[in-house]
Amino acid sequence: RKEVEQDPGPFNVPEGATVAFNCTYSNSASQSFFWYRQDCRKEPKLLMSVYSSGNEDGRFTAQLNRASQYISLLIRDSKLSDSATYLCVSLTGFQKLVFGTGTRLLVSP
Amino acid sequence: DAGVIQSPRHEVTEMGQEVTLRCKLISGHNSLFWYRQTMMRGLELLIYFNNNVPIDDSGMPEDRFSAKMPNASFSTLKIQPSEPRDSAVYFCASSLPSGGPQDTQYFGPGTRLTVL
C-alpha cells in the first residue's frame, strides 16, 4: 500500500463547476501536508499547504482530518487553466516529502 | 532569479551506457533533492543532501545509482550501467530550510531519460 493514496481520475468537469479531491495517508507520524500542481510535461509546483483548521486561497480550499488521515482540496468556479494533475504530499521527517501519484483534472468549456 | 537548472533536458541512451544527470541549485539554497517520476510509481525521492552531505539515500534503487554534490551549488546523479527500467523523468529540487515544516521545495524542469 502506498503511503499517500489518491484517486487518479481523470475528473472531467465543465467550467464554473466545483470539484473536490481527497487523499489518504497511512503514516500517522506525518507532520505537514501540501497540495502540489503539475502541468503536463512540467515540474510540480506548490499550490498550497494544508492545516488542520482548513485554509483557503482564493478559489482553493484545503482541509486536513488527522483522525481519519485524509486531506481534501476543493476548487470552486473551475477555470480551463485549472486543468492539471494535483499531487497530495505529506512531510515525514526532516524535509522528506512523500507524493501521491496524483489526480488528473480536466476542465472543459 | 534563475530557478533550479537541470541538464540535459532529454537523454536517449542504450542499455549498458553510463548516464549523468546534472543539477544546479537556486543561489543561496542548501538542500538538494533528486526525485524520479514514472507513470506506475509516481514521484519518488531518491536521495537528498543538506549542506553537501547526503542525509537520506534510502530511495536509491540499487548500486547502479550514485549521487554527488561536489560543491554547494551543483549535483550529479549517475546511472551505470543504465537499464530500460530506468526510463523516467528525473527531477532535482532545492530548498532553503528555515527549520519549520513549511519549507518549500522548488523543482527543476526535469530530465526525461529513455533507455533503449
Side-chain angles (χ1 to χ4, degrees):
Chain A
R1 182 187 175 194
K2 287 186 71 65
E3 192 168 325
V4 177
E5 297 211 56
Q6 298 181 248
D7 181 344
F11 283 60
N12 289 284
V13 301
E15 260 186 302
T18 295
V19 62
F21 309 135
N22 292 326
C23 92
T24 58
Y25 64 95
S26 59
N27 187 349
S28 57
S30 297
Q31 303 154 358
S32 304
F33 302 89
F34 310 90
W35 285 99
Y36 274 68
R37 171 193 167 129
Q38 186 173 24
D39 293 294
C40 188
R41 303 181 81 85
K42 298 286 189 181
E43 71 273 23
K45 292 183 179 177
L46 179 64
L47 178 65
M48 60 195 303
S49 303
V50 187
Y51 304 112
S52 295
S53 54
N55 51 303
E56 192 173 306
D57 183 1
R59 298 182 293 108
F60 298 82
T61 300
Q63 192 89 41
L64 165 64
N65 184 319
R66 283 196 184 273
S68 302
Q69 296 190 193
Y70 83 78
I71 303 115
S72 64
L73 177 67
L74 182 77
I75 305 175
R76 291 180 299 278
D77 188 22
S78 299
K79 312 291 185 189
L80 295 177
S81 57
D82 294 334
S83 297
T85 296
Y86 291 83
L87 303 168
C88 180
V89 187
S90 73
L91 176 68
T92 56
F94 179 66
Q95 293 195 288
K96 189 168 183 177
L97 297 182
V98 178
F99 286 78
T101 50
T103 297
R104 193 167 168 218
L105 172 65
L106 299 171
V107 182
S108 54
Chain B
D1 285 343
V4 174
I5 299 172
Q6 291 189 246
S7 66
R9 295 291 305 276
H10 302 272
E11 176 82 25
V12 180
T13 191
E14 292 188 344
M15 184 172 65
Q17 296 298 305
E18 177 179 296
V19 174
T20 299
L21 311 180
R22 297 174 176 79
C23 174
K24 185 175 187 300
L25 283 70
I26 292 173
S27 177
H29 284 194
N30 63 355
S31 289
L32 179 135
F33 307 80
W34 281 104
Y35 292 89
R36 176 172 68 177
Q37 187 172 38
T38 61
M39 288 291 292
M40 291 300 297
R41 300 175 66 88
L43 200 61
E44 300 174 292
L45 178 66
L46 300 178
I47 184 171
Y48 75 95
F49 296 82
N50 182 248
N51 291 322
N52 302 9
V53 177
I55 303 299
D56 186 341
D57 65 354
S58 58
M60 295 286 264
E62 48 197 273
D63 292 345
R64 297 184 298 106
F65 285 69
S66 63
K68 293 182 180 178
M69 201 166 172
N71 60 54
S73 61
F74 182 74
S75 177
T76 58
L77 178 68
K78 188 174 291 186
I79 308 172
Q80 166 63 19
S82 58
E83 297 182 3
R85 60 192 167 119
D86 301 331
S87 298
V89 181
Y90 291 81
F91 288 104
C92 172
S94 76
S95 74
L96 179 61
S98 61
Q102 310 297 341
D103 297 322
T104 300
Q105 292 183 21
Y106 297 87
F107 283 74
T111 295
R112 188 170 295 272
L113 173 65
T114 302
V115 183
L116 302 174

